[in-house]
Structure formats: C-alpha cells, structure tokens
Amino acid sequence: QKEVEQNSGPLSVPEGAIASLNCTYSDRVSQSFFWYRQYSGKSPELIMSIYSNGDKEDGRFTAQLNKASQYVSLLIRDSQPSDSATYLCAVRMDTGRRALTFGSGTRLQVQP
Amino acid sequence: DAGITQSPRHKVTETGTPVTLRCHQTENHRYMYWYRQDPGHGLRLIHYSYGVKDTDKGEVSDGYSVSRSKTEDFLLTLESATSSQTSVYFCAISETIDSNEQFFGPGTRLTVL
C-alpha cells in the first residue's frame, strides 16, 4: 500500500462545475498536508496547505482535512479550463522525516 | 516564482559518465531537497539538506550523492549514470521544517543513453 494515494484520473468536469480531488494517507500521526498543481512540463506549484481538521478556503479552492479518516481533499469551485493540470497531494508524516511524501497525482481536465 | 534556479535544464549523457546537477536559491532558506519525478511514481525524495554540510538520504538515494557547501547551492551528483536515472529532477526549498511548505525549481530533464 502506498503511503499517499490518489486516483490517477483523468477526472473530467465541465467548465463552471466543482472538481473534487481526493487523497488518503497511511500514517495516522501525519501533521501537515499540501496540495500542489503541476501543469504539463512545469514544476509543482503550491496552492494550499492545511494543518488542522476542517475546511480551509482560498479563493476558488477549499482544502478539507479529516485526520480520523486519514483523508484530505481539494475542491475547486467554478472550474476553468486553466485549472486543467495534475494535482499532487503531499503529506509530512510525523515519523521523524523532514521531507514530504507525495501521491502520484490526479489529472484534472476541465471541458469548455 | 521563488528564487530557485536549476542547471542545466536539459542534459543528455551516456551510461557510466558522471553528472552533476546544480540548484541555486536566493531565498536564504535552510532546507533544500532533490526529487525525481517519473511516470506512475510521482515525486520521490533523493536527498535533502537541513543546513550547510548537513545532508540526509531520501527514499531513492542509491547511485546519488549530494553536497552543500553554501546556503544557496545544493549539488546532486550521479557518480556513474545509468539508464534508470533518466528522469526529471526537481530541487525544492523550504524555510522551516515545521510548516514544510516547499517551493520547487523549474526542473532538469536528464536522459541517460
């Protein structure tokens, strides 16, 4: 079992819809959670970080964290074609590691 | 973009040759990381540094070494390149370990023939 799991997709949504991206992680004591967006051929770009249970909103993006279920999600409201990218979930696992563990990413396609 | 550059941006080399990739930052961040990205594997940590001359291994460190003699530079060396090291290499930096928000450089595409 991978430590951070994401559905590879592609997830296809129409323009203007809500895109829901999901991520599960294996280490129950993980503390920090991040969402990165990566356009094809480009480097990952940090778009959201979340550290406590609940929702965190930033513009059209909402990150949701449920530590009991070991689940973190990213909602993108009013999806735009420019949101089409691969979204990477990253987790800092509190096992003495100082780096992040990444999922393989979910490819999102927003259809005009 | 955060002040991170990587050089070279593209490199083609032959099996058995040594290769050094450079990451340079202007943010004065303490922590620096090297990742590789391959289809189906996502980003995997090779090595990281938590200060000048302080480095540690990541999950895929075999065949790689690193050095950090200055805060701003983190070098990744493939002592004897193999075809399995064909990949895209990303450098990342973070200011603190507590938040661990990492910012990535533009990447280096390495092809080993």
Side-chain angles (χ1 to χ4, degrees), chain A residues 21-41:
Chain A
L21 303 161
N22 305 314
C23 172
T24 59
Y25 57 94
S26 61
D27 187 341
R28 186 171 295 277
V29 295
S30 296
Q31 296 297 314
S32 310
F33 307 86
F34 306 88
W35 283 100
Y36 285 83
R37 177 176 62 199
Q38 187 175 24
Y39 293 113
S40 180

Side-chain angles (χ1 to χ4, degrees), chain A residues 98, chain B residues 25-33 48-55 68 70-74 92-98 101:
Chain A
R98 300 184 181 192
Chain B
Q25 60 143 331
T26 57
E27 305 295 323
N28 201 36
H29 284 0
R30 178 179 175 186
Y31 301 92
M32 298 185 75
Y33 312 83
Y48 64 96
S49 170
Y50 46 97
V52 174
K53 299 190 191 301
D54 292 324
T55 64
R68 191 170 179 200
K70 298 185 289 184
T71 298
E72 58 266 35
D73 290 326
F74 192 31
I93 64 174
S94 67
E95 186 172 16
T96 71
I97 203 63
D98 292 331
E101 290 187 349

